[in-house]
């Protein structure tokens, strides 16, 4: 099984998009901000963030901001909450949240709340509980949760709860670990976890672990390293992490490494990418793998970053 | 026109006379890009021309065609999609034609968020008349991947907002014939049974649904979904469920089968914890399983629920901590 190849993963992230003739890099241009969050947070968890010049990153991020206050995935792209959260998270990593006009960003996010408490991703109106989480997480990090109607937001999230205890993207949609993370995270941040049936949800989440030790996102689906985050962080937030076999999961994640070239893939022997590298390492941090900085399960940022935001004022 | 056509027949924009008035705008990655990208020429050129019309807010037929080319090269670029919508509205384009374009690119990009969102936007504008076509479209997607989350979300939205519930239950049956383990289909079944205006609601449907689910369980007892569905029919009241002799009977049968009985046992455990009194058949089946495993001789331990937990810890070791915790929740008077 071996160990976590920290140096190789750091090298992989630092050189990831300098591969020539790689069409994959090209088609990811519009979500560069998400990629920055995944790559830079990973570097921070493994203690290598100082390899990056914060000034360059901050200056690029600010050029991604639109006049509406929201951020696009890259320079010249339309704003969307997906990239707005990544922008806030990356600035938080570098302790540069003060470069933001907080009022402006908060107003953009708040403008996307609908009457029923749900959130759209942008002005085009797609509703999804992912966006509820993003809005709540963003505003909490900016300390402007007062900008939205939290009670209505919570009510909408609960309306997406299914009889199996899980959550979907909209009311009635199938329970899915990714959506569950978003809903549980939003409830955690707003102090509403007591509204959950933690035993019921905890059982559903524990059933995600398959024989190989990996986790899937829905019954009868294949395991995928990214669920090491979505399922695990949810279990931690509801205090049921001991309901899965942690050692087996560690083995699974380590098996998903490319030990030669660095990076982590969705399952063993598949191609690696930054997204799965981040979720694998974040998952290992939640599992208290040695040498990794602790990560907050609700905010998906290192605990010391969260403490800096909430404790030092 | 898919991306292969674009490559074969492609004339560079710089050679197209109808574009001669436009000065292309290169991607600005900033003076010291955080990440350095090696772009391909045709992609570069197409996006440079896109940026020009986007920044000029040009909403014309040629810019509409340009967004089509850009989308074919990179359907994930949400800014192109958004601009395309602005052009479509401005030119008042026939949205049925737009749906045809969507059908073409969807096959290669079944999980692309932008494509699904754009489709939803079109369907909303077309209204009730689009219902049938949208259901047909998701059906085609399911023939490739019957668990595509985007497609299910879209299908539910169509049913709730545009109607057309008539064939939905039988469609679930079709999917079950292909794969009884399709959790999305089970979720859809619950959605239809509880929300369809044509069926009468859960109370009316409960009885026949229990029969249906029992058949599915007997076909594959280790399948997680029908067990959850069963619980859903009774809103998680396990005791009432087990008091239905048909349910107690299927649990007994699964246990006597000697394998794949974890879900059955879990349901029995829930009921026992809530003071369910099992009949002799079920008790006998549990004891048979217990004695078939190498478990501590517990003739002194008459608590059936505890014995069930011992079995579960042994046969589902990956969740041993969970079953161990369940043991602690057994009230002292449970038998």
């Amino acid at each position: 099984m071996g160990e976590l190849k920290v140096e190789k993963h750091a090298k992989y992230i630092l050189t990831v998009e300098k591969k020539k003739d790689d069409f994959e890099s090209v088609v990811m241009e519009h979500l560069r901000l998400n990629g920055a969050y995944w790559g830079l947070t990973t570097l921070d968890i493994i203690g290598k963030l100082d390899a990056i010049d914060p000034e360059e990153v901050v200056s690029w991020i600010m050029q991604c901001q639109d006049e509406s206050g929201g951020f696009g995935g890259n320079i010249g792209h339309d704003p969307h909450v997906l990239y707005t959260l990544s922008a806030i998270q990356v600035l938080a990593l570098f302790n540069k949240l003060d470069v933001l006009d907080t009022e402006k960003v908060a107003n953009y996010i708040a403008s996307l709340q609908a009457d029923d408490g749900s959130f759209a991703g942008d002005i085009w109106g797609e509703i999804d509980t992912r966006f509820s989480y993003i809005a709540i997480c963003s505003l909490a990090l900016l300390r402007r949760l007062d900008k939205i109607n939290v009670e209505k937001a919570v009510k909408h999230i609960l309306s997406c709860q299914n009889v199996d205890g899980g959550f979907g993207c909209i009311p009635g949609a199938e329970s899915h670990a990714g959506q569950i993370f978003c809903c549980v995270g939003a409830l955690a941040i707003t102090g509403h976890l007591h509204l959950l049936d933690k035993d019921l949800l905890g059982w559903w989440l524990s059933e995600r672990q398959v024989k190989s030790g990996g986790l899937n996102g829905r019954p009868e689906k294949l395991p995928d390293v990214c669920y090491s985050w979505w399922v695990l962080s949810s279990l931690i937030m509801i205090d049921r992490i001991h309901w899965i076999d942690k050692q087996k999961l560690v083995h699974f994640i380590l098996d998903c490494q490319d030990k030669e070239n660095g990076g982590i893939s969705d399952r063993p022997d598949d191609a690696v990418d930054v997204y799965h590298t981040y979720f694998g390492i974040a998952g290992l941090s939640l599992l208290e793998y040695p040498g990794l900085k602790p990560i907050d399960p609700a905010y998906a940022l290192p605990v010391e970053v969260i403490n800096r935001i909430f404790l030092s004022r | 026109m898919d991306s292969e056509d674009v490559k074969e027949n492609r004339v560079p924009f710089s050679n197209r006379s109808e574009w001669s008035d436009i000065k292309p705008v290169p991607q600005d990655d900033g003076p010291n890009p955080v990440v350095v990208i090696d772009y391909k020429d045709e992609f570069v050129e197409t996006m440079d021309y896109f940026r020009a019309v986007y920044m000029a807010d040009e909403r014309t037929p040629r810019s509409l065609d340009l967004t089509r080319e850009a989308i074919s090269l990179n359907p994930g670029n949400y800014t192109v999609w958004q601009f395309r919508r602005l052009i479509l509205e401005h030119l008042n384009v026939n949205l049925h034609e737009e749906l045809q374009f969507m059908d073409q690119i969807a096959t290669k990009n079944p999980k692309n968020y932008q494509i699904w969102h754009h489709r939803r936007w079109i369907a909303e504008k077309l209204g009730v008349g689009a219902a049938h076509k949208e259901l047909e479209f998701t059906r085609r997607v399911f023939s490739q991947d019957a668990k595509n989350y985007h497609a299910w979300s879209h299908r539910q939205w169509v049913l709730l907002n545009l109607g057309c519930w008539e064939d939905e239950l039988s469609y679930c049956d079709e999917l079950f014939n292909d794969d009884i383990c399709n959790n999305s289909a089970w979720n859809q079944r619950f959605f239809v049974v509880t929300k369809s205006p044509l069926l009468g609601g859960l109370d009316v449907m409960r009885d026949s649904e229990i029969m249906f689910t029992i058949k599915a369980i007997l076909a594959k007892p280790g399948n997680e979904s029908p067990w959850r569905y069963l619980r859903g029919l009774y809103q998680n009241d396990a005791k009432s469920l087990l008091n239905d002799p048909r349910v107690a009977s299927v649990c007994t049968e699964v246990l006597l089968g000697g394998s794949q009985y974890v879900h059955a046992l879990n349901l029995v455990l829930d009921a026992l914890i809530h003071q369910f009194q099992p009949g002799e058949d079920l008790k006998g089946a549990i004891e048979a399983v217990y004695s078939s495993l190498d478990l501590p001789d517990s003739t002194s331990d008459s608590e059936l629920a505890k014995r069930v937990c011992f079995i579960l810890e042994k046969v589902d070791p990956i969740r041993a901590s969970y079953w161990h915790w369940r043991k602690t929740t057994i009230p002292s008077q449970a038998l």
Side-chain angles (χ1 to χ4, degrees), chain B residues 15-53:
Chain B
N15 292 354
R16 303 186 205 182
S17 57
E18 68 272 22
W19 284 99
S20 56
D21 62 307
I22 288 287
K23 184 165 189 285
V25 177
Q27 168 72 30
D28 180 8
D29 280 330
N32 292 301
V34 178
V35 285
V36 173
I37 302 164
D38 202 31
Y39 296 107
K40 288 200 154 194
D41 292 346
E42 61 191 272
F43 184 88
V44 173
E45 209 207 11
T46 308
M47 290 313 296
D48 288 354
Y49 275 81
F50 169 74
R51 253 168 244 115
V53 301

Side-chain angles (χ1 to χ4, degrees), chain A:
Chain A
M1 175 258 302
E3 37 158 50
L4 183 66
K5 303 285 184 199
V6 169
E7 296 298 328
K8 300 247 178 188
H9 298 317
K11 201 161 166 226
Y12 167 71
I13 289 170
L14 290 169
T15 58
V16 68
E17 272 139 353
K18 288 181 186 150
K19 282 184 245 168
K20 287 188 180 300
D21 298 320
D22 191 342
F23 197 58
E24 295 304 309
S25 321
V26 167
V27 301
M28 294 306 171
E29 174 264 326
H30 59 281
L31 51 75
R32 185 70 61 220
L33 245 177
N34 288 160
Y37 162 72
W38 298 323
L40 295 172
T41 310
T42 307
L43 288 176
D44 199 9
I45 295 173
I46 60 181
K48 308 268 184 203
L49 191 59
D50 48 13
I52 299 290
D53 177 1
E55 292 310 318
E56 286 183 12
V57 177
V58 171
S59 135
W60 164 68
I61 288 177
M62 294 316 290
Q63 288 179 79
C64 296
Q65 190 174 28
D66 173 83
E67 58 192 17
S68 64
F71 288 77
N74 204 339
I75 298 170
H77 279 276
D78 292 345
H80 193 289
V81 287
L82 285 167
Y83 312 110
T84 305
L85 174 60
S86 289
I88 293 169
Q89 287 172 317
V90 175
L91 290 172
L93 282 179
F94 290 118
N95 196 13
K96 295 280 189 189
L97 282 172
D98 51 6
V99 310
L100 286 176
D101 176 350
T102 305
E103 186 74 11
K104 197 164 182 205
V105 182
N107 284 340
Y108 168 74
I109 297 168
S111 72
L112 295 168
Q113 185 170 30
D115 285 336
D116 65 359
S118 65
F119 281 87
D122 63 12
I123 52 171
W124 292 94
E126 182 191 0
I127 301 288
D128 188 319
T129 46
R130 286 181 299 144
F131 307 142
S132 299
Y133 166 75
I134 285 171
I136 285 168
C137 183
S138 300
L139 289 172
L141 289 170
L142 296 177
R143 316 197 67 169
R144 296 311 310 266
L145 267 177
D146 60 290
K147 284 277 187 186
I148 56 166
N149 186 326
V150 172
E151 287 316 305
K152 275 193 169 178
V154 167
K155 194 154 168 251
H156 172 75
I157 288 168
L158 291 173
S159 76
C160 298
Q161 189 169 35
N162 296 314
V163 79
D164 57 18
F167 293 83
C169 58
I170 49 170
E174 189 183 0
S175 295
H176 180 292
Q179 310 290 152
I180 288 171
F181 162 77
C182 291
C183 293
V184 174
L187 293 174
I189 291 171
T190 58
H192 288 87
L193 282 175
H194 57 279
L195 297 175
L196 286 176
D197 184 339
K198 293 182 186 178
D199 293 335
L200 182 61
L201 178 57
W203 171 48
W204 190 94
L205 290 167
S206 78
E207 290 283 352
R208 294 311 109 234
Q209 191 164 34
V210 299
K211 271 207 170 65
S212 65
L215 305 174
N216 62 24
R218 295 180 268 170
E220 299 293 328
K221 295 275 290 182
L222 293 175
D224 183 325
V225 149
C226 66
Y227 293 112
S228 308
W229 173 265
W230 309 123
V231 173
L232 214 52
S233 54
S234 302
L235 279 168
I236 287 181
M237 287 190 272
I238 61 173
D239 305 314
R240 304 287 189 270
I241 181 66
H242 49 289
W243 283 2
I244 59 156
D245 186 325
K246 295 201 259 183
Q247 268 310 106
K248 281 199 113 174
L249 180 57
V250 169
H251 288 201
F252 177 82
I253 298 172
L254 293 175
D255 271 350
C256 294
Q257 298 177 94
D258 179 339
K259 293 177 186 152
E260 288 310 306
N261 305 307
I264 295 177
S265 59
D266 58 354
R267 55 190 76 93
D269 304 322
D270 277 356
V272 304
D273 57 51
V274 181
Y275 172 89
H276 287 98
T277 304
Y278 164 67
F279 285 113
I281 287 175
L284 286 171
S285 168
L286 290 178
L287 292 165
E288 298 174 301
Y289 190 88
L292 301 178
K293 280 192 193 172
I295 186 167
D296 184 289
Y299 290 100
L301 283 168
V303 169
E304 66 186 24
V305 172
I306 298 303
N307 288 343
R308 197 165 58 205
I309 294 171
F310 292 111
L311 298 182
S312 55
R313 290 207 195 174

